[in-house]
Amino acid sequence: MNNAVRVLSAGSLRHAFPALIGAFGHEYGIGISLTLGPAGLLREAIEEGTGFDLFASANMAHPRRLASLGLAEDAVCFARNRLCVLARAGLGLTTENFLAVLSDPAVRIGTSTPGDDPGGDYAFEVFDRIEARYPGKGEAMKSRSLQLVGGRNSPPAPAGKGAGYLITDGEVDLMMSYYSNARLLALDRAFSVVDIPGEFQPPIEYGMAIRRNADAETRHLRDFLLSATGQEILSEAGFSPIG
């Protein structure tokens, strides 16, 4: 697609973009070239010269930085998400015993990689919120956590392994996860999807920014993501609408 809009997107949007691409193409007759990855690493790539038309991040900080550098127009929030826990079913984790289970030194906690991937930053914010209420507990969780995905040095998922393989392979007992991803395993008996208590839940806003001097096609895509149709597709993919 020579005239496709070049989108660099946070990997957690991988389940939303097929429907977004289809609906956008049907409405405007415009294609999308999609590159997925940890938002922090994509932002670095843009700063180093990688071409893009629209950058979709799992936070507001990365697109705002591109805007501050003059590489993009102002960041706009286009979706919200929440963090939850994907745990092995036998762990017995619930929202009510969340603090007690995660405080157990024998429980292996997996996260994404802070700095490289906003998912890791949000997980560590959960631990910081716990620390503020229960000194020592949050820092202990942070020090025990294993940053296994979303980093520049993270190994790719093994071929044929589905989501949650780090749990089923026995590397961790639970993963801090976006709800939009974890919900897809809610019916799998190997896992339980558990809400984090509201007092520890960080606000999660997804931001997008288009390149400076973007063409009309790119502006159409930005507006489409904010439209009723775009917001409905994002909601169906497990995100919360901005309204």
Side-chain angles (χ1 to χ4, degrees):
M1 292 184 218
N2 293 331
N3 298 320
V5 179
R6 298 168 298 173
V7 175
L8 271 60
S9 168
S12 52
L13 286 158
R14 72 179 68 250
H15 301 298
F17 258 110
L20 289 167
I21 290 171
F24 179 69
H26 182 266
E27 182 167 340
Y28 290 97
I30 301 169
I32 294 176
S33 170
L34 179 64
T35 300
L36 296 162
L41 299 184
L42 293 177
R43 188 262 303 159
E44 287 184 10
I46 291 171
E47 290 186 27
E48 292 168 1
T50 294
F52 80 107
D53 295 308
L54 184 146
F55 172 52
S57 174
N59 67 7
M60 295 296 294
H62 292 317
R64 281 173 176 160
R65 175 172 170 81
L66 294 182
S68 73
L69 295 173
L71 297 173
E73 297 185 4
D74 289 343
V76 177
C77 176
F78 69 97
R80 294 186 173 88
N81 208 340
R82 71 178 191 268
L83 215 62
C84 66
V85 181
L86 181 68
R88 60 177 176 84
L91 187 61
L93 179 68
T94 66
T95 302
E96 291 70 29
N97 67 18
F98 170 86
L99 186 63
V101 172
L102 268 71
S103 296
D104 183 345
V107 172
R108 296 162 298 171
I109 302 170
T111 74
S112 192
T113 305
D116 292 350
D117 180 18
D121 298 323
Y122 291 129
F124 273 42
E125 185 174 344
V126 171
F127 303 148
D128 287 338
R129 287 169 176 252
I130 292 171
E131 181 68 18
R133 289 287 303 275
Y134 303 96
K137 289 186 179 294
E139 286 301 317
M141 293 175 196
K142 192 181 293 187
S143 66
R144 284 171 33 231
S145 68
L146 304 171
Q147 294 90 60
L148 299 174
V149 295
R152 66 194 69 232
N153 298 316
S154 300
K161 296 280 189 179
Y165 73 93
L166 291 168
I167 294 173
T168 54
D169 283 1
E171 293 194 45
V172 293
D173 296 299
L174 59 87
M175 288 290 298
M176 307 293 283
S177 173
Y178 291 120
Y179 171 76
S180 59
N181 290 339
R183 69 187 178 91
L184 299 173
L185 294 172
L187 298 180
D188 190 321
R189 293 184 179 181
F191 305 104
S192 59
V193 178
V194 179
D195 286 332
I196 293 171
E199 61 190 312
F200 306 133
Q201 179 71 240
I204 297 178
E205 293 186 326
Y206 278 57
M208 64 175 166
I210 59 175
R211 64 176 173 83
R212 289 288 184 187
N213 303 314
D215 54 23
E217 289 81 2
T218 300
R219 296 181 187 279
H220 285 323
L221 177 57
R222 178 191 59 189
D223 294 344
F224 176 77
L225 291 173
L226 297 171
S227 72
T229 300
Q231 290 292 294
E232 181 179 355
I233 292 171
L234 287 162
S235 294
E236 290 172 353
F239 295 87
S240 298
I242 56 174

